[in-house]
């Protein structure tokens, strides 16, 4: 989403709330036949500390705290997400290994984040498959 927002005229900035790490729910706020509604009020994986502005030519589809812009549809029919539906325990381990010395104190432990992924990641994976199927059928 950040790169797409920049390309379409938005801006990307360091977030005011530091890192958003862990599984927290998003709210789907815009009806979109490709994005769907399966993730409404579903915990999704977040690992970011930046925020972006939505260009005038884009529509916010899903939101969450503390960074509200979680899913966006751009006028070209391109979609961007701030959360990480591709998450796996291996990816979490790689993220922690690469940033261990730079993580804020309030970030979940590696063990708790992996446990959360084992509880919630399958929901994002299922949505991602549906999303791609709908996108390809369009």
């Amino acid at each position: 989403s950040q790169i797409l927002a920049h390309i379409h005229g938005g801006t990307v900035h360091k977030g005011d709330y530091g890192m958003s790490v862990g599984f927290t729910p998003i709210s789907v706020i815009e009806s979109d036949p490709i994005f769907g509604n399966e993730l409404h009020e579903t915990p999704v994986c977040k690992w970011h500390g930046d925020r972006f502005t939505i260009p005038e030519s884009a529509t916010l589809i899903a939101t969450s705290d503390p960074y509200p812009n979680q899913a966006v549809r751009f006028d070209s029919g391109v979609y961007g997400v701030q959360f990480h539906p591709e998450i796996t325990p291996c990816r979490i381990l790689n993220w922690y290994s690469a940033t261990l010395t730079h993580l804020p104190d309030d970030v979940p432990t590696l063990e708790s984040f992996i446990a959360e992924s084992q509880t919630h990641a399958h929901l994002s994976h299922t949505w991602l498959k549906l999303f791609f199927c709908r996108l390809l059928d369009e």
Side-chain angles (χ1 to χ4, degrees):
S1 285
Q2 296 170 11
I3 293 170
L4 291 169
H6 176 75
I7 289 169
H8 286 86
T11 59
V12 179
H13 307 279
K14 279 283 181 215
D16 299 333
Y17 306 105
M19 291 287 292
S20 178
V21 176
F23 282 82
T24 57
I26 62 171
S27 297
V28 178
I29 60 169
E30 175 73 22
S31 177
D32 186 274
I34 305 297
F35 188 85
N37 196 38
E38 295 86 6
L39 291 180
H40 184 65
E41 300 304 324
T42 299
V44 297
C45 176
K46 296 179 186 168
W47 183 283
H48 59 271
D50 293 333
R51 64 182 176 85
F52 62 95
T53 62
I54 298 176
E56 288 183 24
S57 61
T59 302
L60 182 64
I61 297 173
T63 189
S64 182
D65 289 329
Y67 298 110
N69 301 339
Q70 290 297 317
V72 178
R73 180 185 64 244
F74 296 90
D75 63 346
S76 57
V78 172
Y79 292 79
V81 296
Q82 179 84 330
F83 62 95
H84 291 275
E86 79 285 1
I87 196 62
T88 64
C90 184
R91 181 155 291 140
I92 292 169
L93 180 60
N94 288 340
W95 287 345
Y96 272 82
S97 297
T99 58
L100 191 56
T101 58
H102 305 310
L103 290 175
D105 293 337
D106 61 346
V107 168
T109 65
L110 172 62
E111 295 77 17
S112 67
F113 200 1
I114 288 177
E116 281 186 289
S117 78
Q118 292 169 334
T119 301
H120 301 297
H122 72 281
L123 300 168
S124 292
H125 296 169
T126 299
W127 168 81
L128 192 56
K129 290 175 189 174
L130 292 168
F131 172 78
F132 282 125
C133 285
R134 292 187 290 247
L135 189 63
L136 293 172
D137 286 344
E138 185 62 19

